[in-house]
Amino acid sequence: MNFGSPYRSPSASKEKIYDNQEVKKYPKDFPVTKLPKYVRKPGGNPTYTLEAKPGIFLYRGSETPGLPLEDLIGIQWYALDLPNVFQYGYPSKYRLNRDLNLLAIDEIKEDDPFFTGLDEDEHMKNKFNKFFIKDEEGNKQRVSIAQNDYDLCEYICSLGYDGYAMNKMKDDSGGEFHAEVGLNNGHEKLILIEHINVDNITDENDEKLIGKDDEPITNAWIEDSVLRKRQRAEGLKNRKPKRNSLALSEDPSLKFKPMIMDEDDNYGDDEPFIIQGKPKIFNFESPPKRQNTGPISPFPFSYSSPYSSPSIKTGGKTKKRNRKTKKNKKKQTKKKNKKSKRKSNKK
């Protein structure tokens, strides 16, 4: 049995996988791959053909250092430029063992067979409309939602493509989304060149490569990035769902956090709680205790029952007194009847 932490440092395994410890330079030793011009045949979809020839490489970041090629099963994502994979994990370099036929997803138009075919699958059409959105000026933006990306790529591969590819474009936060390739079963289509030791990479000026946080890229930097990502994922997995009936308060002493529910019933933390498109603000200073007078109200803003009136009093003691009074009256009536019979008999 192994009771070790799942976040244990993989330093030992890193030492085993880096056979080549010589210092390498970027981009000389890690050339940037450029997608060819897309081709749109009559009656067909736009496609990129990525050829298996010298100088064409794909890069991937893995949470596991030295991930074996045979583990690249199913849908996986790859970048065309090495620095774009550091945020995802320990980088590896691959070349193609055959040409790849990739849907040019960033060039799809509304009259292309791929798009018109989505009319037959409303569920997948919704996913495509999440994958790309348009800004106020009509420019396309990339929105990355992990499960949505996976489902759409799986659908594309079911049409006979090796996957999809796209050039860099703006994302929905105003930044830039890097060029990428979504590929199915990379273990059958790629050749592993090397697992890259980022501690031994410099640029052409012998300076360390710098991450988005302006820190030098090292194996320790990647290890911390992977750890944070795992902890975030674990936190989301264990987070208790928030109920719609939770109240928001304008009183800062009450620490209710603003929420928003999107169309997938997920909650975010940056917007007020939305019900039917309008923000609802409630203030529950001290909710009254519910009396046992009827069924619970279906509305979250009320703890009292609309089915009873507190002015109507019913109880056990009153009923008992009424029953005793009736019995006494009956006894008195019987006695009077007996006396009247006796008098009549005497006469």
Side-chain angles (χ1 to χ4, degrees):
M1 283 200 226
N2 183 4
F3 294 93
S5 165
Y7 304 123
R8 193 171 162 189
S9 170
S11 302
S13 53
K14 286 204 297 287
E15 291 174 4
K16 295 177 183 177
I17 62 173
Y18 298 133
D19 297 328
N20 192 342
Q21 295 294 317
E22 66 182 26
V23 175
K24 294 190 173 184
K25 294 186 184 296
Y26 170 84
K28 175 187 173 184
D29 295 308
F30 307 101
V32 179
T33 297
K34 293 184 178 180
L35 290 174
K37 182 164 179 59
Y38 69 89
V39 174
R40 179 184 274 107
K41 295 179 180 179
N45 295 309
T47 58
Y48 295 116
T49 301
L50 203 55
E51 297 181 347
K53 63 182 183 181
I56 300 296
F57 299 99
L58 294 179
Y59 303 94
R60 183 179 182 277
S62 168
E63 292 188 3
T64 304
L67 188 74
L69 179 66
E70 55 267 25
D71 285 358
L72 297 181
I73 299 172
I75 308 297
Q76 306 283 349
W77 281 266
Y78 304 83
L80 306 175
D81 191 3
L82 175 63
N84 290 327
V85 304
F86 294 146
Q87 59 184 308
Y88 303 113
Y90 301 96
S92 298
K93 177 182 177 183
Y94 305 91
R95 65 182 176 86
L96 313 184
N97 63 17
R98 64 174 178 80
D99 296 352
L100 298 179
N101 181 35
L102 305 167
L103 179 70
I105 197 168
D106 53 338
E107 299 294 341
I108 292 292
K109 299 190 182 304
E110 292 185 359
D111 58 349
D112 286 328
F114 175 80
F115 190 86
T116 57
L118 293 175
D119 291 333
E120 299 175 8
D121 190 338
E122 191 66 25
H123 183 62
M124 200 55 62
K125 189 173 186 177
N126 290 336
K127 290 184 178 295
F128 182 78
N129 289 334
K130 286 181 186 177
F131 193 88
F132 290 128
I133 62 172
K134 290 186 178 180
D135 60 18
E136 295 177 353
E137 299 174 354
N139 298 315
K140 196 181 291 184
Q141 295 178 328
R142 172 77 163 91
V143 181
S144 183
I145 305 170
Q147 188 61 51
N148 194 72
D149 294 353
Y150 183 93
D151 292 344
L152 191 60
C153 188
E154 189 176 50
Y155 172 75
I156 290 168
C157 293
S158 73
L159 302 177
Y161 296 98
D162 292 308
Y164 73 81
M166 55 168 275
N167 282 295
K168 65 180 179 181
M169 63 169 58
K170 294 292 183 183
D171 63 19
D172 58 319
S173 63
E176 192 173 74
F177 197 96
H178 58 77
E180 69 173 356
V181 172
L183 185 63
N184 188 37
N185 289 338
H187 67 297
E188 298 174 347
K189 302 162 185 176
L190 302 175
I191 298 171
L192 174 64
I193 302 300
E194 64 175 311
H195 298 302
I196 301 166
N197 184 0
V198 295
D199 283 344
N200 290 339
I201 298 178
T202 68
D203 62 16
E204 293 173 330
N205 298 318
D206 294 327
E207 299 287 338
K208 293 293 293 180
L209 299 184
I210 303 298
K212 292 183 178 180
D213 57 358
D214 295 327
E215 293 293 328
I217 300 296
T218 62
N219 284 319
W221 184 95
I222 291 178
E223 188 171 331
D224 288 343
S225 178
V226 168
L227 175 59
R228 286 193 299 271
K229 189 160 61 171
R230 282 178 180 166
Q231 289 173 333
R232 256 194 321 270
E234 193 64 28
L236 290 172
K237 179 181 175 183
N238 295 331
R239 187 173 64 180
K240 292 182 179 178
K242 300 173 184 176
R243 290 170 14 199
N244 294 8
S245 58
L246 282 178
L248 300 180
S249 173
E250 294 174 345
D251 184 353
S253 66
L254 298 178
K255 297 181 180 179
F256 287 111
K257 199 171 183 182
M259 300 176 295
I260 185 170
M261 186 171 68
D262 63 21
E263 63 185 12
D264 290 325
D265 296 331
N266 296 316
Y267 289 97
D269 296 321
D270 301 323
E271 297 291 341
F273 188 44
I274 301 296
I275 297 179
Q276 295 180 348
K278 296 181 181 179
K280 301 288 184 182
I281 304 298
F282 312 119
N283 187 3
F284 286 27
E285 293 180 358
S286 178
K289 292 182 180 179
R290 183 181 179 273
Q291 297 177 355
N292 243 345
T293 54
I296 298 174
S297 165
F299 303 103
F301 351 100
S302 174
Y303 287 86
S304 61
S305 168
Y307 304 115
S308 65
S309 170
S311 61
I312 300 174
K313 292 182 178 180
T314 57
K317 287 186 178 180
T318 306
K319 287 181 178 179
K320 284 180 181 178
R321 288 195 197 101
N322 292 338
R323 284 198 293 270
K324 286 181 180 179
T325 304
K326 287 179 181 179
K327 284 181 179 179
N328 291 334
K329 285 182 178 180
K330 286 181 180 179
K331 287 180 180 179
Q332 290 172 3
T333 304
K334 285 181 179 180
K335 286 180 180 179
K336 286 181 181 180
N337 292 336
K338 286 180 180 179
K339 285 181 180 180
S340 58
K341 282 181 180 180
R342 285 171 189 162
K343 287 180 181 180
S344 60
N345 290 333
K346 287 180 180 180
K347 288 179 182 179

